[in-house]
């Protein structure tokens, strides 16, 4: 089966930096995605990695190491509105559905 | 940007009745749509993949006769929960794949189904 692991919960304070890790063991690999989801809402796209290395997008960066089956999402200058669930998802094959991890609930306090 | 409209946003129905959920891609053609289910504090679990004009492919453990999926056009896919039971209460989300980008997966806003 497919296995995608993330920590269940993390806490941080406003202005800080937080790193959310994701490890995966899947039958194939065609890209790794990070989504943000607020309670009761649909996920919104944050980042996409298919090659090794770091992708930076404003306050958010995502890193991928395919040989280690590992990714992380880095959030800088945390704001209260960043409190949400962060979902790591892997695409096994081009054009197929994303397979999601269980998500990491991030709580940002002042 | 790409928008997927999903409705209803929430629905309450009685046990034994059927509920239809619609997902429409508003400004692009979605050749493939994915249907997910999410239980409280759990992640999204893929239920099925539907391609326009063909039968849906269901994930293991998902009853195809209970969760009817129709994808009759490039902009509309529907999920009908038949003979709903309280255990079907969940958050259902559709996702459309845009063929024009490698990372173009757009999600609908979700439907909260409560079966009483």
């Amino acid at each position: 089966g497919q296995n995608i692991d993330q920590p269940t919960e993390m806490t941080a304070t406003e202005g800080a930096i937080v790193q959310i890790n994701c490890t995966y063991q899947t039958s194939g690999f065609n890209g790794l995605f990070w989504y943000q989801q607020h309670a009761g809402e649909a996920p919104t796209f944050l980042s996409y990695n298919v090659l090794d290395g770091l992708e930076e997008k404003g306050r958010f960066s995502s890193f991928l190491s395919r040989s280690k089956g590992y990714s992380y999402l880095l959030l800088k200058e945390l704001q209260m509105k960043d409190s949400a669930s962060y979902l790591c998802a892997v695409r096994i094959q081009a054009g197929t559905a994303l397979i999601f991890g269980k998500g990491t609930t991030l709580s940002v306090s002042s | 940007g790409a928008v997927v409209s999903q409705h209803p946003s929430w629905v309450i129905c009685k046990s034994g009745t059927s509920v239809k959920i619609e997902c429409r891609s508003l400004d692009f053609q979605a050749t493939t749509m994915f249907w997910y289910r999410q239980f409280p504090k759990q992640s999204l679990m893929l239920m099925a993949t539907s391609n326009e004009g063909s039968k849906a492919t269901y994930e293991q453990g998902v009853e195809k006769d209970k969760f009817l999926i129709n994808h009759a056009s490039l902009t509309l896919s529907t999920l009908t929960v038949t003979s709903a039971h309280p255990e079907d209460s969940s958050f259902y989300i559709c996702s459309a794949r845009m063929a024009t980008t490698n990372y173009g997966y757009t999600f609908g806003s979700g439907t909260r189904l409560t079966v009483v």
Side-chain angles (χ1 to χ4, degrees):
Chain A
Q2 321 296 349
N3 200 40
I4 301 172
D5 285 321
Q6 319 175 221
T8 304
E9 295 180 340
M10 296 184 73
T11 58
T13 53
E14 265 188 309
I17 299 173
V18 71
Q19 177 175 312
I20 302 174
N21 296 323
C22 172
T23 57
Y24 62 90
Q25 293 169 308
T26 54
S27 57
F29 182 81
N30 188 256
L32 187 139
F33 299 71
W34 284 96
Y35 283 83
Q36 180 191 63
Q37 185 181 28
H38 287 99
E41 299 180 8
T44 54
F45 172 78
L46 291 178
S47 70
Y48 165 72
N49 296 70
V50 67
L51 299 176
D52 291 351
L54 189 68
E55 292 284 339
E56 296 185 83
K57 209 176 182 182
R59 293 190 300 117
F60 296 81
S61 303
S62 58
F63 171 82
L64 174 68
S65 169
R66 288 172 297 169
S67 62
K68 295 182 180 177
Y70 168 70
S71 172
Y72 67 71
L73 179 69
L74 194 70
L75 293 79
K76 303 176 186 175
E77 300 168 17
L78 280 173
Q79 302 173 10
M80 297 292 285
K81 67 178 183 179
D82 296 328
S83 294
S85 183
Y86 291 85
L87 307 175
C88 173
V90 172
R91 181 171 59 199
I92 309 295
Q93 207 174 354
T96 61
L98 303 184
I99 307 300
F100 285 86
K102 292 189 176 179
T104 299
T105 300
L106 173 66
S107 299
V108 180
S109 58
S110 56
Chain B
V3 176
V4 172
S5 172
Q6 181 174 349
H7 69 91
S9 299
W10 59 271
V11 58
I12 301 174
C13 71
K14 291 184 178 180
S15 285
T17 61
S18 296
V19 172
K20 180 186 282 189
I21 301 169
E22 290 189 353
C23 268
R24 292 181 185 272
S25 54
L26 299 186
D27 48 5
F28 67 99
Q29 293 185 330
T31 54
T32 306
M33 280 219 187
F34 308 101
W35 287 93
Y36 292 86
R37 178 167 53 182
Q38 186 177 34
F39 292 106
K41 299 191 177 181
Q42 298 291 316
S43 191
L44 283 75
M45 297 299 295
L46 180 67
M47 298 175 68
T49 299
S50 78
N51 291 297
E52 183 265 337
S54 62
K55 288 184 179 180
T57 303
Y58 291 80
E59 295 299 299
Q60 194 170 13
V62 178
E63 299 173 58
K64 62 179 182 181
D65 294 330
K66 181 172 184 60
F67 299 99
L68 301 179
I69 292 173
N70 185 281
H71 193 162
S73 78
L74 286 170
T75 59
L76 174 65
S77 178
T78 61
L79 167 66
T80 301
V81 183
T82 63
S83 188
H85 290 286
E87 57 264 31
D88 298 324
S89 298
S90 187
F91 192 53
Y92 293 86
I93 308 178
C94 64
S95 173
R97 185 180 76 90
M98 293 176 62
T100 53
T101 72
N102 203 24
Y103 49 86
Y105 289 77
T106 302
F107 286 83
S109 54
T111 298
R112 171 73 57 195
L113 170 64
T114 302
V115 184
V116 297

